[in-house]
Amino acid sequence: LLIIVLGLTFDFINGFHDTANAIATVVATRVLSPGRAVLMAGVLNFVGALSGTAVATTVGKGIIPPELSTQTLVISALVAAIVWNLGTWYLGLPSSSSHALSLVGAGVGGAGWSAVQISGLEKTFQGLVFSPVLGFSAAFLLMLLLLNLFARAFPATVTRVFGRAQLLSAAYMAYSHGSNDAQKTMGVMTMALASYLHWGGNDWQVPTWIILFAALAMGLGTSVGGWRIIRTMGLRVVQLRPIHGFAAETAAATIIEAASRLGVPVSTTHTISSAILGVGSTRRLSAVRWGVAGQIVIGWILTIPGCFMIAWAVRSLLLLAGA
């Protein structure tokens, strides 16, 4: 019961922490008011969370084998992720909830590196490395294509067309965010349940009630809104217009959605942040506030070792206490 509560708490925090991923650009371009954008993101995060369990399976049994999963391991990973997300939210720094969920640190803290499955870890690190690179590149190329297609159009016409188109791209982004991020919590909650019920082999599957509760927690968290990070992502990195928002959201959402179907946990933060940098770079390099971008990158770099150490410390303390 404690783990279910912690899991849903993490999912709720993940929702309002990562709201910026889905709606920062649509708020910054003034296509939607903050209230309407948050409501839209909350609903579509919920819908996206119901779309599959491939990522949940990778997180739940692909990194730590089911036979080595314990209640204290899951508690340690969730506590570390919650602490890190709240800290970065307070500072207004976008960070990756994917990699904040440090199952590796908790696993190593209890059973050493032998508890970690390299294949699942490789898949996670592939998402970590390739999602920002693809996000930047895809958004940059899509933005160049749009600029060439609409080179002779009046600015007012471009703004009107992409103001409407961005409603769709923002919805797509919110849906994709739910489809990948909510599944991570589903995987961890199912890991705890499998440990408690001694599931093994084909018994391991995500129950319907976990899918529904995780989706609801994500949607409710998103509806609260993480305004500190929205300001960083949407207003402080680069000046955005609807055409930029459309390109960034479409590119990032497509990459995230493809990863979800392949069962690859990716960071929506890394992907959309890189996409925003990509569209900004098409104007000129000086259009991007690289100092702010650098702070975001530092947050990314510190997330994995920071959460690893917190999860390792919590697991070690729990074991010393006889838990």
Side-chain angles (χ1 to χ4, degrees):
L1 288 175
L2 174 61
I3 289 172
I4 297 301
V5 171
L6 281 174
L8 295 176
T9 300
F10 168 75
D11 215 17
F12 180 87
I13 293 171
N14 189 7
F16 79 70
H17 185 281
D18 286 2
T19 297
N21 300 339
I23 66 170
T25 49
V26 79
V27 171
T29 56
R30 303 180 189 275
V31 169
L32 281 178
S33 66
R36 290 183 177 181
V38 166
L39 179 61
M40 176 204 70
V43 171
L44 288 169
N45 262 260
F46 174 81
V47 175
L50 301 175
S51 65
T53 59
V55 173
T57 301
T58 297
V59 172
K61 66 174 184 177
I63 298 174
I64 304 293
E67 60 271 17
L68 296 180
S69 300
T70 64
Q71 306 293 290
T72 54
L73 183 151
V74 178
I75 289 173
S76 303
L78 286 170
V79 168
I82 289 170
V83 169
W84 190 266
N85 271 0
L86 288 176
T88 51
W89 166 80
Y90 180 78
L91 295 173
L93 285 176
S95 72
S96 171
S97 296
S98 316
H99 307 109
L101 198 59
S102 187
L103 295 169
V104 177
V108 172
W113 285 100
S114 61
V116 180
Q117 295 187 119
I118 300 301
S119 58
L121 197 59
E122 284 179 348
K123 185 178 285 190
T124 302
F125 270 96
Q126 286 171 1
L128 170 66
V129 172
F130 290 115
S131 62
V133 173
L134 292 173
F136 184 97
S137 302
F140 183 87
L141 294 173
L142 178 57
M143 190 65 209
L144 286 181
L145 175 63
L146 294 175
L147 288 174
N148 280 287
L149 289 175
F150 289 87
R152 298 183 179 181
F154 290 109
T157 302
V158 174
T159 298
R160 184 172 62 254
V161 168
F162 284 98
R164 294 172 180 172
Q166 202 184 354
L167 294 173
L168 296 176
S169 63
Y172 183 27
M173 182 65 209
Y175 174 87
S176 68
H177 172 252
S179 72
N180 201 281
D181 270 31
Q183 285 195 51
K184 297 159 192 167
T185 307
M186 294 177 200
V188 173
M189 291 168 66
T190 305
M191 174 190 285
L193 192 64
S195 170
Y196 183 74
L197 297 176
H198 304 292
W199 286 351
N202 295 328
D203 293 333
W204 202 102
Q205 58 182 342
V206 183
T208 303
W209 66 267
I210 284 184
I211 296 173
L212 292 173
F213 273 96
L216 182 61
M218 172 72 76
L220 290 175
T222 300
S223 68
V224 172
W227 304 115
R228 293 172 183 267
I229 297 173
I230 288 173
R231 283 193 291 270
T232 299
M233 293 271 287
L235 303 175
R236 294 181 58 201
V237 177
V238 66
Q239 184 179 359
L240 297 172
R241 295 178 181 173
I243 189 172
H244 302 107
F246 173 83
E249 290 163 347
T250 301
T254 300
I255 292 165
I256 294 166
E257 190 61 22
S260 297
R261 302 311 141 207
L262 294 172
V264 178
V266 297
S267 168
T268 52
T269 305
H270 290 191
T271 310
I272 188 62
S273 298
S274 300
I276 291 172
L277 294 175
V279 298
S281 297
T282 60
R283 300 169 69 179
R284 60 184 186 282
L285 290 180
S286 60
V288 177
R289 297 183 179 93
W290 293 104
V292 176
Q295 293 175 9
I296 294 173
V297 172
I298 290 172
W300 295 355
I301 294 171
L302 293 178
T303 294
I304 291 179
C307 288
F308 179 97
M309 292 305 298
I310 296 172
W312 177 86
V314 173
R315 181 82 190 281
S316 299
L317 289 173
L318 288 174
L319 291 175
L320 284 174

